[in-house]
Amino acid sequence: MKRRWHDAKPRILGTILYYVLRMLVAPLRLRIVRLEGSPEPGTPAIPCMWHGRTVIPAGRKVWKMPVSVIISHSRDGEMQATIYRKLGYDIIRGSTGRGGARAAVEAIRALKNGATLALTPDGPRGPSGVVQEGIVFLAHKSGRPLVPLGVSCRPRILAKSWDRYLIPIPFGRAVVVIGRAITVPPGADADTLERVRLELQEALHDCERQAERMLGY
């Protein structure tokens, strides 16, 4: 009995959290702002946002579906996979740790075949607001552009977690700013990849600052 509960718990909790997420984000008055040079939502790309700002883009499907996400093999990952499947996302299992290499291969294959892959470049462990190298590697190998998203809402709760996770209050206002696409040149060397990483990092901060200002923060 305990074993069955242990196996079923992530899926049950994931289902509950899915309905909580829907209640939080469905009533929001959402405004989507596309900056000059941003691709049309639905263009095969790698849209990315900070780890703490995922709930609104995920729940309101800012990018035209279908969209894939990478989720770890952990028990928390199983719960997250349940939520994202119910939201209509395609799941690639893996992480920066266990299963990471295979997940990267699957992600690159999916991107080359025309998929869109949503990523949090400072996840899953941070540091918050710092782009990790893996997302630039995926863009380089797949040839798909990186697209920064800035997210804000009012009113809201900011959790006391490493990523200051944003929890919207239902019936409030929300803004998603979609920034200019950033492409990694073919054959890019290490210095170029680092330049792209820093460019994406600043673009993400800039999009978030613009979203915050639009709501009076």
Side-chain angles (χ1 to χ4, degrees):
M1 187 69 174
K2 286 184 178 180
R3 180 64 185 177
R4 276 186 290 180
W5 165 245
H6 183 270
D7 293 341
K9 184 178 177 181
R11 294 190 297 275
I12 293 171
L13 291 178
T15 300
I16 294 170
L17 288 174
Y18 161 76
Y19 286 110
V20 171
L21 184 152
R22 294 295 300 148
M23 287 189 292
L24 290 175
V25 302
L28 293 174
R29 289 169 287 160
L30 176 63
R31 178 186 177 193
I32 298 176
V33 178
R34 295 178 59 243
L35 303 182
E36 184 178 353
S38 65
E40 290 288 342
T43 302
I46 306 175
C48 43
M49 71 291 304
W50 296 128
H51 193 274
R53 301 289 171 119
T54 55
V55 65
I56 294 171
R60 291 295 291 267
K61 300 176 183 175
V62 169
W63 211 262
K64 185 178 178 181
M65 303 300 277
V67 175
S68 299
V69 292
I70 297 176
I71 296 177
S72 75
H73 286 288
S74 66
R75 289 184 61 75
D76 283 347
E78 186 60 41
M79 183 172 62
Q80 293 168 6
T82 298
I83 296 169
Y84 276 87
R85 284 193 188 100
K86 288 183 175 296
L87 288 169
Y89 290 82
D90 297 324
I91 309 297
I92 297 173
R93 299 306 297 267
S95 68
T96 53
R98 183 161 58 102
R102 188 171 72 177
V105 170
E106 289 184 25
I108 292 167
R109 182 185 300 118
L111 286 165
K112 286 184 175 181
N113 288 336
T116 286
L117 178 67
L119 291 174
T120 54
D122 60 341
R125 301 182 183 89
S128 179
V130 176
V131 170
Q132 304 299 310
E133 296 175 353
I135 190 169
V136 179
F137 171 81
L138 292 178
H140 184 213
K141 293 299 183 181
S142 68
R144 295 301 180 191
L146 298 158
V147 183
L149 273 62
V151 183
S152 184
C153 67
R154 190 181 192 107
R156 67 191 184 187
I157 297 170
L158 295 177
K160 294 180 179 179
S161 55
W162 68 268
D163 58 356
R164 300 289 288 159
Y165 198 80
L166 182 150
I167 303 169
I169 304 299
F171 303 101
R173 293 180 296 151
V175 172
V176 175
V177 175
I178 303 176
R180 178 181 63 84
I182 300 171
T183 302
V184 183
D189 59 15
D191 289 341
T192 302
L193 295 177
E194 175 61 10
R195 177 185 59 76
V196 172
R197 187 189 72 80
L198 293 174
E199 182 182 356
L200 175 62
Q201 185 169 288
E202 180 53 36
L204 281 161
H205 285 305
D206 183 61
C207 288
E208 185 169 307
R209 284 191 294 264
Q210 292 194 52
E212 295 275 84
R213 285 196 296 267
M214 289 175 186
L215 292 178
Y217 291 112

